[in-house]
Amino acid sequence: MGIFSCCSTFVAVTMARLCRKKAEIVLVVEEIVFEIIFMLTMLLNRRRDRSRFRVADVQRLVRYRMVDRIPQQLEHLNELTQLSDVDCFNNLRMKRDTFNRFCYLLRHSGGLVDGRYVSVGEQVAIFLSVLSHHSKVRVVKFCFKRSSHTVHQHFHNILRAVLNLHGSLLASPTPVDDECTHPRWKHFKGCLGALDGTLIDVTVPEIDKARYRTRKGTISVNVLAACDRSMRFVYMLTGWEGSAADARVLRDAVCRNDGFTVPHGTYYLCDNGYPNGEGFLTPYKMVRYHLQEWGIGPTAPQNYKEFFNMNHSKARNVIERTFGLFKKRWAILRSPSFYPINIQNKIILACALIHNFIRNESPDDPLEVNLHPAIENPVGDDGFIDAVNPSQAWTNWRDNLAQEMFANWSGAA
């Protein structure tokens, strides 16, 4: 009995100790769990505080940077358009007074308004920077301290505004009258100017490259243009593939409802890529023509056909000079751009319209001083020519004109 009672007492004591330890373990575990939950809660609160701090800090930083950029933006625009005519012309291809007049025209006739952050002057400067130097958007945004979206948006806004002014920016030619004494034009009474085509390189999808490939292997559009005696564009048609013939492009221009119009009794000087028909006077074929082929003595004209071709070449050279000045002014025309083809065609037209504006506002064009002559081998309304076809009557009229010119020159000599 004593042994049994001792054993039961030992078991009871042992069980009591185990229960006490179990309770202590539960308390310890509860304390550990509580500590873990507390620590996790603190970490989450810290992260929230940090994220809030970071968002606020970034917002303050962005505001600071936007405000900090304003003086730089104004300073850059002021350097371009206010300091000197030389800097303004070198960067934007027009003098300060011409630039301000152009902004005035776009604001009052083109419908442009100052934006919340970008003025009309800065919008125009961005647009002209792209055309003048064929600058990429990332370059322009760095120079003007603007975003890519801002540059892209205002470039297309100005492009639409300029094209909407085509009615007032295209020149209206006046025919050569009997009182004209200019040595190049006095022989061509009734002439309105000169007409020709030029190739401008473009970028097109791979599937369309065959149509735009020229005989020289370049991917280009064939641009038809007519100019007056003051080197201003009267008409321009772009969009035809580089593989299209010049005569085909001219026929399309004349046959359009709102296309190229030539009143009866007047004409444009053309090269032999076009038919010699009413409204379009071409030189004699198989007779020397280019300016470098003429001189004095043995190289002087020997008959009426040569004399006609020499004077025709001198007068028609105005379109070659116009194309040379046109491409020299706008670098975006000298290399293919990466806009869609419809935008590239609009850019060509916009460059022509701005070229006319500059010619009207700045007769002393600095680019023209160093420009050398470049010699390069719908149904119409009543009163206008509505077809481009060879005409024997027109050929006879050309013969009479050439003989009269040669007779007057021989008699004067």
Side-chain angles (χ1 to χ4, degrees):
M1 292 293 292
I3 296 173
F4 179 76
S5 61
C6 290
C7 290
S8 60
T9 304
F10 176 77
V11 172
V13 172
T14 303
M15 292 298 294
R17 289 179 179 176
L18 289 175
C19 291
R20 193 182 301 112
K21 289 183 178 181
K22 185 177 180 180
E24 292 177 354
I25 292 173
V26 170
L27 292 175
V28 171
V29 171
E30 288 179 353
E31 291 181 358
I32 293 173
V33 171
F34 178 78
E35 290 291 339
I36 293 174
I37 294 174
F38 178 76
M39 293 176 64
L40 290 175
T41 305
M42 293 296 294
L43 288 174
L44 290 176
N45 290 334
R46 286 185 179 181
R47 286 189 176 182
R48 289 177 182 175
D49 293 340
R50 288 178 181 177
S51 62
R52 292 174 183 173
F53 173 76
R54 288 174 182 174
V55 171
D57 186 47
V58 169
Q59 290 177 349
R60 287 194 298 270
L61 189 60
V62 170
R63 291 195 196 100
Y64 172 75
R65 287 179 178 175
M66 291 180 63
V67 174
D68 186 58
R69 283 191 307 223
I70 292 177
Q72 301 177 21
Q73 295 164 355
L74 296 177
E75 181 181 2
H76 181 69
L77 183 62
N78 183 65
E79 290 176 352
L80 288 179
T81 62
Q82 301 298 328
L83 293 184
S84 69
D85 285 334
V86 175
D87 292 334
C88 188
F89 184 85
N90 289 339
N91 289 278
L92 306 180
R93 291 298 183 262
M94 56 179 68
K95 296 181 179 180
R96 290 176 296 173
D97 182 63
T98 306
F99 176 81
N100 292 329
R101 290 174 182 270
F102 188 53
C103 294
Y104 180 88
L105 177 67
L106 292 175
R107 182 181 282 109
H108 291 83
S109 299
L112 286 183
V113 295
D114 293 325
R116 185 176 181 182
Y117 302 108
V118 186
S119 64
V120 171
E122 188 172 1
Q123 296 176 34
V124 176
I126 290 174
F127 180 74
L128 294 178
S129 296
V130 176
L131 299 187
S132 302
H133 306 285
H134 196 185
S135 300
K136 302 299 185 288
V137 173
R138 67 189 65 178
V139 177
V140 176
K141 80 167 189 176
F142 177 79
C143 295
F144 285 86
K145 302 296 184 292
R146 298 292 181 181
S147 65
S148 300
H149 174 75
T150 300
V151 174
H152 179 83
Q153 177 185 5
H154 292 302
F155 176 84
H156 289 278
N157 289 342
I158 300 296
L159 180 62
R160 286 191 294 268
V162 172
L163 294 179
N164 290 335
L165 296 175
H166 69 278
S168 59
L169 292 180
L170 285 175
S172 298
T174 56
V176 177
D177 54 23
D178 295 334
E179 298 180 356
C180 179
T181 58
H182 195 283
R184 291 190 178 187
W185 297 100
K186 64 181 181 181
H187 303 289
F188 300 99
K189 309 301 181 183
C191 180
L192 295 175
L195 177 147
D196 201 359
T198 186
L199 298 175
I200 296 179
D201 294 343
V202 294
T203 301
V204 296
E206 193 70 28
I207 192 173
D208 296 328
K209 285 188 176 181
R211 296 189 294 115
Y212 286 87
R213 195 177 304 278
T214 67
R215 58 186 177 86
K216 296 182 179 180
T218 59
I219 307 300
S220 310
V221 290
N222 192 343
V223 179
L224 172 70
C227 73
D228 61 5
R229 290 170 285 165
S230 300
M231 301 174 65
R232 299 174 302 175
F233 288 107
V234 176
Y235 179 82
M236 178 172 286
L237 175 63
T238 181
W240 272 91
E241 299 88 343
S243 59
D246 290 344
R248 182 183 179 187
V249 180
L250 178 59
R251 287 190 177 93
D252 175 64
V254 173
C255 294
R256 295 186 177 212
N257 292 329
D258 56 347
F260 187 40
T261 57
V262 183
H264 289 290
T266 61
Y267 57 91
Y268 285 91
L269 302 180
C270 312
D271 60 17
N272 281 322
Y274 303 93
N276 183 55
E278 184 182 7
F280 307 99
L281 185 61
T282 63
Y284 288 99
K285 295 182 179 180
M286 308 302 294
V287 179
R288 55 182 175 152
Y289 178 73
H290 299 298
L291 289 179
Q292 65 266 24
E293 299 176 0
W294 306 104
I296 57 177
T299 57
Q302 303 300 317
N303 52 57
Y304 73 92
K305 291 185 178 181
E306 290 188 349
F307 186 73
F308 175 84
N309 276 16
M310 182 186 70
N311 286 278
H312 187 284
S313 178
K314 289 180 179 179
R316 196 195 67 85
N317 184 251
V318 66
I319 187 64
E320 306 295 351
R321 289 173 56 83
T322 303
F323 281 146
L325 183 62
F326 182 53
K327 294 182 179 180
K328 186 177 182 180
R329 189 188 306 279
W330 310 116
I332 198 171
L333 304 177
R334 300 197 294 267
S335 59
S337 59
F338 294 93
Y339 293 98
I341 185 61
N342 62 321
I343 300 298
Q344 294 181 72
N345 289 323
K346 291 180 180 180
I347 289 174
I348 296 172
L349 295 175
C351 289
L353 296 176
I354 302 175
H355 167 89
N356 280 7
F357 180 82
I358 296 174
R359 296 291 300 174
N360 290 332
E361 299 295 333
S362 300
D364 54 337
D365 195 340
L367 288 178
E368 187 181 358
V369 175
N370 299 322
L371 182 66
H372 299 285
I375 308 302
E376 298 180 0
N377 296 333
V379 179
D381 298 333
D382 293 339
F384 297 100
I385 296 170
D386 57 3
V388 183
N389 297 311
S391 170
Q392 185 60 41
W394 190 256
T395 301
N396 296 335
W397 178 84
R398 181 183 64 178
D399 292 340
N400 295 332
L401 176 62
Q403 292 175 6
E404 180 183 355
M405 291 167 53
F406 184 70
N408 293 335
W409 177 71
S410 300

